[in-house]
């Protein structure tokens, strides 16, 4: 596994042979199957039934089998593997982060018209708009009532009704456009939450399985140590 170079006398870096591909891999890129989850080892044995328990595999191959294992697990539970679940399975193997700031990503893609419609919709649904609009209506009716028939819009305020109808006709589609973009933002946020929650659930499941595996290994080692101690005690009595 390691040695020294005959020409330079420098020690060679430790290397291993991947039991799956047969290629040489450095120590930093090698993983022992004894430390891998039993369920993942079973998935590897389906393709390589003769692999030894103490064999070493490359991290690249292990990540590939981890992706296959998670994909098959999700497909078995849901019947089909969606694009989001495929992304989650890949992120588990590559240890990528799935959490994203939807607000920043969605806001950066808005056009000038979309920003303007959102601002108008926000103002139209605020107390400021109600107060300003009430003051405008009150002032309009007060001025025209004071001047009577000589005013520019006498009672029953036909011009005011036309203005109100125009504002309502323009404001309604603006609010609908803003609500549509809000629905798109909510859908992106829910998809992001689903990816994060699904990955967290799978990570917790694998963590529980790994802890159980380590506990079983620890009990086996303790049993072996206890057996050796009993054998020494029996030898001393003889």
């Amino acid at each position: 596994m390691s040695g020294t170079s005959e020409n330079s006398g420098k020690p060679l870096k430790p290397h291993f042979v991947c039991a799956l591909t047969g290629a040489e891999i450095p120590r930093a890129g090698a993983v022992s199957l004894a430390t891998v989850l039993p369920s993942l080892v079973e998935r590897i044995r389906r393709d390589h039934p003769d692999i030894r328990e103490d064999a070493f595999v490359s991290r690249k191959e292990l990540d590939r089998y981890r992706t296959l294992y998670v994909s098959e697990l999700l497909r078995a539970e849901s019947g089909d593997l969606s694009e989001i679940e495929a992304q989650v399975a890949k992120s588990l193997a590559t240890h990528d982060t799935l959490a994203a700031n939807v607000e920043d990503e969605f806001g950066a893609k808005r056009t000038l018209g979309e920003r303007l419609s959102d601002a108008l919709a926000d103002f139209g649904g605020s107390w400021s708009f109600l107060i300003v609009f009430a003051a405008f209506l009150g002032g309009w009716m007060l001025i025209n009532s004071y001047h009577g028939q000589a005013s520019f819009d006498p009672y029953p305020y036909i011009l005011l009704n036309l203005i109100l109808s125009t504002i309502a006709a323009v404001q309604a589609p603006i609010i609908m456009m803003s609500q549509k973009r809000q629905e798109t933002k909510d859908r992106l946020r829910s998809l992001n939450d689903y990816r994060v929650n699904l990955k967290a659930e799978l990570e917790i499941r694998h963590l529980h399985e790994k802890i159980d595996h380590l506990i079983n290994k620890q009990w086996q080692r303790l049993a072996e140590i206890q057996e050796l101690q009993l054998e020494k005690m029996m030898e001393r009595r003889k």
Side-chain angles (χ1 to χ4, degrees), residues 218-234:
Q218 188 69 23
W219 277 110
Q220 291 177 2
R221 292 176 182 174
L222 291 175
E224 292 175 359
I225 294 174
Q226 187 177 10
E227 186 177 355
L228 291 174
Q229 291 176 345
L230 291 175
E231 290 179 357
K232 290 183 179 181
M233 292 175 61
M234 295 297 295

Short mmCIF file of all heavy atoms in Angstrom, two decimals, residues 218-234:
data_model
loop_
_atom_site.label_atom_id
_atom_site.label_comp_id
_atom_site.label_asym_id
_atom_site.label_seq_id
_atom_site.Cartn_x
_atom_site.Cartn_y
_atom_site.Cartn_z
N GLN A 218 -19.84 -1.21 17.44
CA GLN A 218 -19.22 -1.00 18.75
C GLN A 218 -19.52 -2.16 19.69
O GLN A 218 -18.63 -2.62 20.42
CB GLN A 218 -19.74 0.32 19.34
CG GLN A 218 -19.02 0.75 20.61
CD GLN A 218 -17.60 1.18 20.34
OE1 GLN A 218 -17.26 1.56 19.22
NE2 GLN A 218 -16.75 1.12 21.36
N TRP A 219 -20.74 -2.67 19.67
CA TRP A 219 -21.08 -3.82 20.51
C TRP A 219 -20.28 -5.05 20.09
O TRP A 219 -19.87 -5.85 20.95
CB TRP A 219 -22.58 -4.10 20.42
CG TRP A 219 -23.41 -3.24 21.33
CD1 TRP A 219 -24.26 -2.25 20.99
CD2 TRP A 219 -23.44 -3.31 22.77
NE1 TRP A 219 -24.82 -1.67 22.09
CE2 TRP A 219 -24.35 -2.31 23.22
CE3 TRP A 219 -22.80 -4.11 23.72
CZ2 TRP A 219 -24.63 -2.10 24.56
CZ3 TRP A 219 -23.08 -3.90 25.07
CH2 TRP A 219 -23.98 -2.90 25.47
N GLN A 220 -20.09 -5.22 18.80
CA GLN A 220 -19.30 -6.36 18.34
C GLN A 220 -17.86 -6.26 18.83
O GLN A 220 -17.26 -7.25 19.27
CB GLN A 220 -19.34 -6.43 16.81
CG GLN A 220 -20.70 -6.80 16.25
CD GLN A 220 -20.72 -6.79 14.73
OE1 GLN A 220 -19.70 -6.55 14.08
NE2 GLN A 220 -21.89 -7.06 14.17
N ARG A 221 -17.29 -5.05 18.79
CA ARG A 221 -15.92 -4.87 19.26
C ARG A 221 -15.83 -5.11 20.77
O ARG A 221 -14.88 -5.73 21.25
CB ARG A 221 -15.45 -3.47 18.91
CG ARG A 221 -15.27 -3.24 17.42
CD ARG A 221 -14.89 -1.80 17.12
NE ARG A 221 -14.76 -1.55 15.70
CZ ARG A 221 -14.55 -0.36 15.18
NH1 ARG A 221 -14.43 0.70 15.99
NH2 ARG A 221 -14.45 -0.22 13.87
N LEU A 222 -16.82 -4.60 21.52
CA LEU A 222 -16.82 -4.82 22.96
C LEU A 222 -16.94 -6.30 23.29
O LEU A 222 -16.29 -6.81 24.23
CB LEU A 222 -17.97 -4.04 23.60
CG LEU A 222 -17.83 -2.51 23.59
CD1 LEU A 222 -19.08 -1.86 24.16
CD2 LEU A 222 -16.61 -2.08 24.39
N ALA A 223 -17.77 -7.01 22.51
CA ALA A 223 -17.91 -8.46 22.74
C ALA A 223 -16.61 -9.19 22.44
O ALA A 223 -16.22 -10.13 23.17
CB ALA A 223 -19.04 -9.02 21.88
N GLU A 224 -15.90 -8.79 21.39
CA GLU A 224 -14.62 -9.41 21.07
C GLU A 224 -13.58 -9.14 22.16
O GLU A 224 -12.82 -10.03 22.55
CB GLU A 224 -14.13 -8.89 19.72
CG GLU A 224 -14.97 -9.35 18.54
CD GLU A 224 -14.52 -8.71 17.24
OE1 GLU A 224 -13.55 -7.89 17.30
OE2 GLU A 224 -15.09 -9.02 16.18
N ILE A 225 -13.55 -7.87 22.66
CA ILE A 225 -12.60 -7.55 23.73
C ILE A 225 -12.92 -8.35 24.98
O ILE A 225 -12.01 -8.87 25.67
CB ILE A 225 -12.65 -6.03 24.00
CG1 ILE A 225 -12.12 -5.26 22.80
CG2 ILE A 225 -11.85 -5.69 25.25
CD1 ILE A 225 -12.27 -3.76 22.92
N GLN A 226 -14.20 -8.47 25.31
CA GLN A 226 -14.60 -9.23 26.49
C GLN A 226 -14.22 -10.71 26.34
O GLN A 226 -13.78 -11.35 27.31
CB GLN A 226 -16.10 -9.08 26.71
CG GLN A 226 -16.59 -9.72 28.02
CD GLN A 226 -18.06 -9.49 28.23
OE1 GLN A 226 -18.76 -9.03 27.35
NE2 GLN A 226 -18.55 -9.81 29.41
N GLU A 227 -14.39 -11.22 25.13
CA GLU A 227 -14.02 -12.63 24.90
C GLU A 227 -12.53 -12.84 25.06
O GLU A 227 -12.08 -13.85 25.64
CB GLU A 227 -14.48 -13.03 23.50
CG GLU A 227 -14.28 -14.50 23.19
CD GLU A 227 -14.81 -14.88 21.82
OE1 GLU A 227 -15.40 -14.01 21.16
OE2 GLU A 227 -14.61 -16.03 21.42
N LEU A 228 -11.73 -11.88 24.57
CA LEU A 228 -10.28 -11.99 24.73
C LEU A 228 -9.88 -11.92 26.21
O LEU A 228 -8.98 -12.65 26.66
CB LEU A 228 -9.59 -10.88 23.94
CG LEU A 228 -9.65 -10.99 22.41
CD1 LEU A 228 -9.04 -9.75 21.78
CD2 LEU A 228 -8.90 -12.24 21.94
N GLN A 229 -10.54 -11.04 26.96
CA GLN A 229 -10.23 -10.95 28.38
C GLN A 229 -10.58 -12.23 29.12
O GLN A 229 -9.84 -12.68 30.01
CB GLN A 229 -10.99 -9.76 28.98
CG GLN A 229 -10.47 -8.40 28.51
CD GLN A 229 -11.29 -7.25 29.04
OE1 GLN A 229 -12.40 -7.46 29.54
NE2 GLN A 229 -10.76 -6.03 28.96
N LEU A 230 -11.70 -12.84 28.77
CA LEU A 230 -12.08 -14.09 29.40
C LEU A 230 -11.08 -15.20 29.07
O LEU A 230 -10.74 -16.03 29.93
CB LEU A 230 -13.48 -14.51 28.95
CG LEU A 230 -14.63 -13.63 29.47
CD1 LEU A 230 -15.94 -14.07 28.85
CD2 LEU A 230 -14.71 -13.70 30.99
N GLU A 231 -10.59 -15.21 27.82
CA GLU A 231 -9.59 -16.22 27.45
C GLU A 231 -8.30 -16.03 28.24
O GLU A 231 -7.68 -17.02 28.68
CB GLU A 231 -9.31 -16.12 25.94
CG GLU A 231 -10.48 -16.60 25.09
CD GLU A 231 -10.17 -16.47 23.61
OE1 GLU A 231 -9.08 -15.95 23.28
OE2 GLU A 231 -11.02 -16.87 22.77
N LYS A 232 -7.88 -14.78 28.45
CA LYS A 232 -6.67 -14.53 29.24
C LYS A 232 -6.86 -14.95 30.69
O LYS A 232 -5.93 -15.50 31.32
CB LYS A 232 -6.30 -13.04 29.15
CG LYS A 232 -5.78 -12.62 27.79
CD LYS A 232 -5.38 -11.15 27.80
CE LYS A 232 -4.82 -10.73 26.46
NZ LYS A 232 -4.41 -9.30 26.46
N MET A 233 -8.04 -14.68 31.23
CA MET A 233 -8.30 -15.08 32.59
C MET A 233 -8.29 -16.60 32.75
O MET A 233 -7.75 -17.15 33.73
CB MET A 233 -9.65 -14.53 33.04
CG MET A 233 -9.69 -13.00 33.18
SD MET A 233 -11.34 -12.38 33.58
CE MET A 233 -11.62 -13.18 35.15
N MET A 234 -8.82 -17.30 31.76
CA MET A 234 -8.81 -18.77 31.81
C MET A 234 -7.39 -19.32 31.69
O MET A 234 -7.03 -20.30 32.36
CB MET A 234 -9.68 -19.32 30.68
CG MET A 234 -11.18 -18.98 30.81
SD MET A 234 -11.92 -19.70 32.27
CE MET A 234 -11.77 -21.45 31.90
#
